[in-house]
C-alpha cells in the first residue's frame, strides 16, 4: 500500500478543482529529506502531521530535534524542546512558517488556488505543479510538485525545489482520515 496524505480535493482533467469528499481531519507520519548542493548526504527529519478542517495544523518534527509548529485560529506557535521542556521560538523564520503552514492547510482542504503567489498546473494524472507568479520569488522557491495517490483526494509526496540542486522531499505514510482530534492538539506542544 503506498504512503498517502489525504487532501480534500484534487485537480480535474481540465485543471479545475473539485471536492474529494467530506474530509474533516488527516493524521500522517512523514519523512523529510533536505537535499543541498553543499552536503554529501541529505538531512533527514521525521515527524507527524495532524490537520483538522478548516485551518488547524500541527507539524511535529520528532527527529533530529523535537520541534512543534502549531497553526490554529490564524496564529502560529513554534516550540523547540530543550532539556525536556518546550521553549517558544519567535525567530525570523516563524512568519515564513505561518505562510507555509497555511498553504499546507489549504492543500489538505483541497484549495490549491488559494495562494495568489502561485499558479497551479497539472503535469500528468498524478502530479500537480505550483509555480511562483512573481519571477523574483523563484530565488527562494522555483516550484512545488504534489504527487497524487491512486486514492481520490490523496497526496503521497511533496517536493519543494528551491534551486538547481537544492530541494526538499516530504513523503507521507500511515494515513488516518476523519478521526476526532482534540483542539488542544493544535494549541499545546
Amino acid at each position: 500500500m503506498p504512503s498517502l496524505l489525504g487532501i480534500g480535493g484534487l485537480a480535474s482533467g481540465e485543471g479545475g478543482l473539485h471536492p474529494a469528499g467530506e474530509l474533516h481531519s488527516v493524521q500522517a507520519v512523514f519523512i523529510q529529506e533536505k537535499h543541498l548542493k553543499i552536503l554529501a548526504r541529505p538531512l533527514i527529519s521525521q515527524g507527524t502531521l495532524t490537520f483538522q478542517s478548516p485551518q488547524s495544523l500541527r507539524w511535529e518534527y520528532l527527529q533530529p530535534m523535537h520541534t512543534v509548529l502549531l497553526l490554529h485560529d490564524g496564529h502560529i506557535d513554534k516550540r523547540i524542546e530543550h532539556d525536556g521542556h518546550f521553549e517558544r521560538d519567535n525567530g525570523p523564520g516563524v512568519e515564513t512558517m505561518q505562510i507555509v503552514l497555511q498553504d499546507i492547510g489549504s492543500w489538505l482542504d483541497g484549495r490549491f488556488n488559494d495562494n495568489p503567489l502561485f499558479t497551479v498546473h497539472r503535469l500528468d494524472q498524478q502530479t500537480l505543479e505550483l509555480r511562483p507568479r512573481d519571477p523574483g520569488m523563484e530565488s527562494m522557491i522555483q516550484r512545488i510538485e504534489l504527487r497524487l495517490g491512486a486514492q481520490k483526494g490523496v497526496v503521497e509526496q511533496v517536493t519543494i525545489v528551491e534551486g538547481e540542486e537544492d530541494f526538499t522531499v516530504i513523503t507521507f505514510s500511515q494515513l488516518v482520515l476523519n478521526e476526532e482530534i482534540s483542539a488542544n492538539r493544535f494549541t499545546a506542544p
Side-chain angles (χ1 to χ4, degrees), residues 5 13 17 24 49-50 58 60 65 70 78-79 88 106 123 128 146 154 157 160 165 168-169 180:
L5 172 66
L17 300 175
H24 304 289
L49 166 114
T50 306
R58 179 186 183 100
E60 183 169 6
M65 181 185 290
L70 302 166
K78 180 180 179 184
R79 306 283 180 108
R88 181 166 280 139
S106 294
L123 299 181
L128 294 177
L146 305 174
V154 171
Q157 192 172 70
I160 303 166
E165 296 182 51
T168 302
V169 178
E180 287 297 318

Side-chain angles (χ1 to χ4, degrees), residues 118-138:
F118 293 95
T119 60
V120 180
H121 307 280
R122 186 173 192 117
L123 299 181
D124 56 42
Q125 280 297 101
Q126 287 194 285
T127 311
L128 294 177
E129 179 183 72
L130 288 75
R131 287 205 172 255
R133 290 182 193 271
D134 179 357
M137 189 176 172
E138 288 181 351

Side-chain angles (χ1 to χ4, degrees), residues 38-106:
I38 61 170
L39 299 177
R41 290 179 290 179
L43 300 171
I44 307 292
S45 301
Q46 298 177 6
T48 62
L49 166 114
T50 306
F51 168 79
Q52 185 153 317
S53 186
Q55 283 286 318
S56 293
L57 184 67
R58 179 186 183 100
W59 189 272
E60 183 169 6
Y61 290 99
L62 301 171
Q63 294 179 7
M65 181 185 290
H66 195 181
T67 305
V68 179
L69 301 160
L70 302 166
L71 178 66
H72 188 66
D73 289 335
H75 301 286
I76 189 158
D77 186 13
K78 180 180 179 184
R79 306 283 180 108
I80 300 173
E81 185 180 12
H82 294 284
D83 299 322
H85 300 286
F86 282 98
E87 296 178 10
R88 181 166 280 139
D89 179 9
N90 294 320
V94 173
E95 288 180 16
T96 303
M97 284 308 301
Q98 181 164 1
I99 294 167
V100 171
L101 290 179
Q102 286 174 335
D103 279 348
I104 291 171
S106 294

